[in-house]
Amino acid sequence: MQKLLGLLVVLGCVIGGYVMSGGHIASFWQPGELLIILGAGCGAMIIANPRHVLKAMWVQIRAAFSKDGQNSEFQQQLLMLMYELLELIQDGGLKALDEHIEVPENSGLFKKYPLILKDSGFITFISDNFRLMAMGKINEHEMEGILEAEIDAIEEELMVPSRSLQRTAEAMPGFGICAAVLGIIITMQAIDGSIALIGLKVAAALVGTFLGVFFCYCLMDPLANAMEQCMKKRMTVFTSIRTVLVNHVAGKPTLLAVDAGRKMLPLENKPTFATLDGWVNDLIERE
C-alpha cells in the first residue's frame, strides 16, 4: 500500500505540475515512443539475463508490492521452531531429528509453524544444516565458516534480479534519447511543412526523452531499491538461523542460542528477550 501511495504521489506531482504549467496530458500519449523505450528496455533485460533471473525478478517485484510477511508472528514461529528443534536434540540426540528434517512437509513439528513451512528457501536451509550437524562432529568455527559461505552465495543470487533491473533503469534515459532522435529524424523529413506541424513533431520527440528519464528515476530505480531492501530483510532470517546453529554447536543452552538468533532479526519487529522467554514458557506449559 505504501509503495502504491508513493507511485500516486510521483504521478500526481509530475503530471499535476505539468498541467499547472499549461501542459496537456494528451501530449504524453505517444505510442511509438513508448514502444521504442519499453520494448528496448524489455529486450535488453531478456538479452542480459537468463530465464530463472527474469522469473525471480517478477517474484521479487510482486513481493515488493505485497504485505510484509516477516511480521511479529513470523518471527515468533521462526524462533520457536528453532527452539523445538534444538530441544529435540537435547532430549533424543541428532537422530531424533531424522523424521522431521528428511521430509519437513510431513513433519508434525514443522506443520505447527506454517509461515516457515510455506517458504521452501528457509526450510531447505534449516533441514540441510541440521542434517550437516547429524552427519558428523563439527565445531562452531567450521560450522560458522560453512554457513557464512552458503549465506553469501544465497545473498548473491537473491540480489541479481534487483541489480539487473537497476542496470536496465540506468539505460532507460539512453533508450529515451534513441526514441527522441528517431522523432527528430521524422521531424526533419517534414521540414518543409508548417511551423506548427514541426513544433508538434519536436514536442513528440522530446516526450521520448522525458519518458526515459521518468521510467528510470521515478519508477524502475526506486522499484529496484525496494526489491533490494526486501531481499536484505529476507537475508536477516538466514543470518538468524545461522547464529542459532553456531551457538548451539558452541555448546550454549537452547534458550541462549535462540536468543542469539533473535538479535539478528530486523529492529522493527524484533521481540525482546522477555517476549521470547514468555513464548518458551507458554510452549512448556502446553506440553
Side-chain angles (χ1 to χ4, degrees):
M1 181 61 70
Q2 179 179 334
K3 293 177 178 60
L4 292 175
L5 176 61
L7 178 59
L8 290 176
V9 170
V10 169
L11 291 174
C13 291
V14 172
I15 296 176
Y18 173 72
V19 172
M20 288 174 62
S21 300
H24 301 284
I25 296 179
S27 301
F28 288 134
W29 180 240
Q30 302 295 336
E33 304 275 329
L34 286 169
L35 179 61
I36 293 170
I37 297 169
L38 296 180
C42 291
M45 280 197 290
I46 293 172
I47 293 171
N49 300 286
R51 183 177 299 179
H52 75 274
V53 172
L54 296 175
K55 289 182 178 179
M57 188 182 298
W58 173 242
V59 171
Q60 291 187 17
I61 289 174
R62 291 175 57 190
F65 282 95
S66 300
K67 184 179 179 181
D68 184 11
Q70 295 183 32
N71 50 24
S72 299
E73 184 179 359
F74 175 90
Q75 294 185 351
Q76 178 181 0
Q77 291 193 18
L78 172 68
L79 295 175
M80 296 315 299
L81 171 61
M82 297 304 295
Y83 180 86
E84 289 209 56
L85 288 171
L86 295 184
E87 282 295 286
L88 277 178
I89 297 175
Q90 295 291 341
D91 297 337
L94 289 166
K95 289 295 182 183
L97 291 177
D98 288 347
E99 62 178 295
H100 301 290
I101 63 175
E102 291 302 325
V103 188
E105 295 78 9
N106 298 333
S107 166
L109 175 57
F110 278 91
K111 287 180 179 178
K112 290 169 59 178
Y113 304 102
L115 294 181
I116 311 300
L117 184 59
K118 73 178 184 180
D119 193 306
S120 60
F122 296 146
I123 291 297
T124 300
F125 187 77
I126 291 171
S127 58
D128 282 356
N129 288 295
F130 270 104
R131 192 178 295 112
L132 174 65
M133 291 165 50
M135 290 174 65
K137 186 172 180 59
I138 184 171
N139 62 47
E140 64 269 27
H141 302 296
E142 294 171 332
M143 189 72 176
E144 185 171 18
I146 292 171
L147 294 183
E148 282 186 357
E150 183 176 1
I151 287 176
D152 286 344
I154 293 172
E155 183 174 15
E156 182 65 26
E157 183 174 351
L158 289 178
M159 293 302 173
V160 169
S162 61
R163 290 170 184 167
S164 297
L165 182 61
Q166 189 168 33
R167 290 193 187 98
T168 304
E170 291 170 354
M172 294 306 286
F175 297 143
I177 292 173
C178 287
V181 169
L182 293 174
I184 294 298
I185 292 173
I186 294 172
T187 302
M188 296 306 292
Q189 292 172 349
I191 196 66
D192 58 344
S194 67
I195 295 179
L197 177 62
I198 294 174
L200 286 174
K201 290 184 177 296
V202 170
L206 291 176
V207 168
T209 303
F210 162 74
L211 290 175
V213 174
F214 179 81
F215 287 142
C216 172
Y217 294 109
C218 296
L219 297 179
M220 295 176 67
D221 190 66
L223 179 57
N225 185 58
M227 292 163 58
E228 181 179 353
Q229 291 184 32
C230 186
M231 291 303 103
K232 284 184 176 179
K233 188 171 184 179
R234 179 177 176 81
M235 289 308 304
T236 62
V237 177
F238 289 104
T239 303
S240 176
I241 296 169
R242 180 204 67 187
T243 305
V244 172
L245 294 177
V246 170
N247 277 268
H248 169 74
V249 173
K252 298 292 192 297
T254 300
L255 182 58
L256 292 183
V258 175
D259 181 61
R262 173 193 67 83
K263 295 176 181 178
M264 299 296 107
L265 295 174
L267 287 173
E268 58 180 310
N269 293 318
K270 181 167 66 177
T272 63
F273 176 80
T275 301
L276 174 61
D277 190 45
W279 293 340
V280 171
N281 290 332
D282 290 342
L283 176 65
I284 295 174
E285 290 176 2
R286 289 197 302 268
E287 294 178 348

